[in-house]
Amino acid sequence: MARTRKTTAEVADLIRNGKRIPTTVEVENHAIRFYPRHWLNRWDENMPVIPSVFQSGEKDSKGRLTLSRGDLFTLGTMVETAQNAVNFYVAVCSWDAGAKARDIYRRIPTLSETDVGEKFLGGIMLAQDSNLESEVAYRFFWRREQYRLKGLGPAFFTKLLYFAAGFDTLSD
């Protein structure tokens, strides 16, 4: 897999030196590998149905699946039910954490919250509403009990909102 990821310093250097920065396609194709077993080893009866993202694609020789930014934007547009919202959350978390089990361990408790799928769904629907400013969805996840989830703070729910808002938020 080609490396398209650039640090802020690398992008600044590319711009400063007049070199090419990653294209929208390269950004969309930026992919990571993750271990479904990191989730499945901790999944319990207090959590929603196991997400379909664990069955998508072909595992490599180490048991990892691959997710790209484009996959996440697509999944974000498919969120119409509480279960879709949970699947989307797990996909975004998996993409963010990559192969690090520690980061999955931090995201699992959120899935045991009461009405977790409905809370995700409500916040994601706000992010997708073109009649609302994106800060409205941010405020609802951060300040409204209706959508607030233990273990889901701004550092992470902004990733959900970013991918839920759709790929057209990026431009060349």
Side-chain angles (χ1 to χ4, degrees):
M1 191 176 329
R3 180 180 184 268
T4 59
R5 190 174 180 181
K6 304 288 183 199
T7 66
T8 305
E10 288 173 317
V11 171
D13 187 52
L14 290 172
I15 292 169
R16 200 174 12 262
N17 294 317
K19 296 179 183 172
R20 188 183 73 76
I21 60 173
T23 66
T24 301
V25 171
E26 289 173 321
V27 171
E28 184 179 7
N29 290 332
H30 171 222
I32 60 86
R33 292 186 181 105
F34 74 97
Y35 291 100
R37 72 175 179 259
H38 288 164
W39 291 92
L40 296 172
N41 290 342
R42 293 176 175 87
W43 212 269
D44 67 36
E45 67 280 351
N46 297 320
M47 296 177 187
V49 174
I50 293 175
S52 61
V53 72
F54 297 141
Q55 286 83 39
S56 61
E58 190 174 318
K59 291 181 182 172
D60 68 10
S61 61
K62 294 182 178 181
R64 298 175 298 189
L65 290 172
T66 302
L67 281 170
S68 70
R69 284 180 190 262
D71 294 335
L72 297 177
F73 284 120
T74 299
L75 285 171
T77 65
M78 296 168 51
V79 175
E80 296 176 349
T81 67
Q83 186 59 37
N84 294 150
V86 169
N87 188 59
F88 179 59
Y89 168 79
V90 170
V92 173
C93 287
S94 296
W95 181 85
D96 182 58
K100 294 177 258 168
R102 178 193 68 202
D103 289 348
I104 301 304
Y105 174 78
R106 291 177 177 166
R107 301 292 160 234
I108 280 280
T110 301
L111 292 166
S112 294
E113 288 284 306
T114 304
D115 299 324
V116 65
E118 289 78 11
K119 288 180 179 183
F120 282 139
L121 181 62
I124 290 166
M125 293 292 108
L126 288 171
Q128 293 174 338
D129 187 337
S130 60
N131 296 317
L132 296 175
E133 296 292 324
S134 56
E135 69 187 59
V136 172
Y138 178 94
R139 277 195 312 254
F140 271 71
F141 264 128
W142 185 235
R143 299 209 170 131
R144 299 282 175 106
E145 199 60 40
Q146 178 182 5
Y147 299 111
R148 218 163 159 188
L149 290 158
K150 181 179 178 183
L152 184 67
F156 194 79
F157 70 67
T158 54
K159 289 175 185 67
L160 280 177
L161 297 174
Y162 167 73
F163 288 112
F167 190 70
D168 61 334
T169 59
L170 295 180
S171 60
D172 272 329

